[in-house]
Amino acid sequence: MKIMTTFFDSKTPFRGIITPMITPLSDEKNLDTESLKSLVEHLVKGGVHGIFILGTTGEGISLSYKLKVELIELTVKFVKGRIPVFVSVTDNSLQDSVLLAEVSAENGVSALVAAPPFYFGLSQKELVYYYMKLADSVMLPLFLYNIPGQTKIMIDPETVKILASHPNITGIKDSSGNAPHFNTLLSVLKENESFSVLVGPDEMMASTVLMGGHGGVNSGSNLFPHLFTDLYQACLDRDMERVSVLQKKVMLLSTLIYQVGNSNVRFLKGLKYSLHLFGLCPDFLLPPLCHLEENEIVMLKENYLRLCEQLIC
């Protein structure tokens, strides 16, 4: 069994920009392997500090088990140990999550990520029970994934504090988009210096790092990795003039790419189509997501060109 955990230790939190990678697909049953290889190189050369697969941006919940395993194997192969690979093992079945965690460990993945099971409306007590069971059952470091917009369940800060006491639970990705909630997380975890607190929404990464967060898991880094790694570094350097300039570019990306159409996951549709325009992947989306309307495609093409012009300036 090949296990790669050298990117993590028990004393320091993981820091930086992790890309929640999109999944390049040829059709419903096949990955686009060449696009996947190109995208991985684009991200590694772009300076990101990690790659996260099978998350929301990667349509992980819609992929078949066969495709999940293939994506894990190929991503680790293409990354070649240069940066850590994170894998979402989110599932309503604990045993299926454990099974995917075992596949991840066998292939050299560095860490796991898990959102709450999302069918039953779980209490905080049940969340503690579930995550403790999962953490006891897997070999790799485990990150919690708070994304109530999709799971309809919020992992409360006090619950995170309890879970952070488990030696195998090493961090959280918070995609709630709730700034007071994130700041409360930082407050209740201030004594736990090894626990990593990462933010999901692109628009919040800079402000949360300046407040003491450890980085971001930001979808826009699929398209412009250097924008996010440069902004992250500017925050560490407390170069507020540069932070302001780069943050405006992140907000422009959000406005032009993430907000086209009426879908609840329009950010994903806009991002994947923009990556298609960039030449990095097909624009194929798995059901239940439907493809962009013609007027949305026209708008995205215009917005993408405008965004590229602005970011080059």
Side-chain angles (χ1 to χ4, degrees), residues 94-201:
L94 175 64
Q95 291 308 311
D96 282 353
S97 291
V98 172
L99 184 61
L100 199 61
E102 290 172 352
V103 171
S104 298
E106 289 167 0
N107 281 279
V109 165
S110 298
L112 308 172
V113 184
F118 45 83
Y119 184 82
F120 296 111
L122 300 180
S123 67
Q124 296 301 303
K125 179 180 178 181
E126 287 163 331
L127 284 175
V128 170
Y129 172 72
Y130 169 77
Y131 276 116
M132 290 292 191
K133 288 277 286 184
L134 180 60
D136 285 342
S137 303
V138 300
M139 300 181 68
L140 296 175
L142 176 64
F143 281 68
L144 312 174
Y145 187 2
N146 187 39
I147 183 163
Q150 305 301 330
T151 64
K152 312 300 184 266
I153 298 171
M154 177 75 87
I155 309 176
D156 290 346
E158 287 299 326
T159 299
V160 177
K161 184 178 181 180
I162 294 169
L163 292 171
S165 66
H166 193 292
N168 209 31
I169 298 178
T170 192
I172 183 170
K173 175 194 175 187
D174 184 69
S175 292
S176 67
N178 186 320
H181 173 83
F182 191 88
N183 290 339
T184 303
L185 273 179
L186 292 176
S187 177
V188 301
L189 292 164
K190 63 183 178 182
E191 302 301 324
N192 191 332
E193 297 181 355
S194 64
F195 195 80
S196 182
V197 184
L198 306 167
V199 72

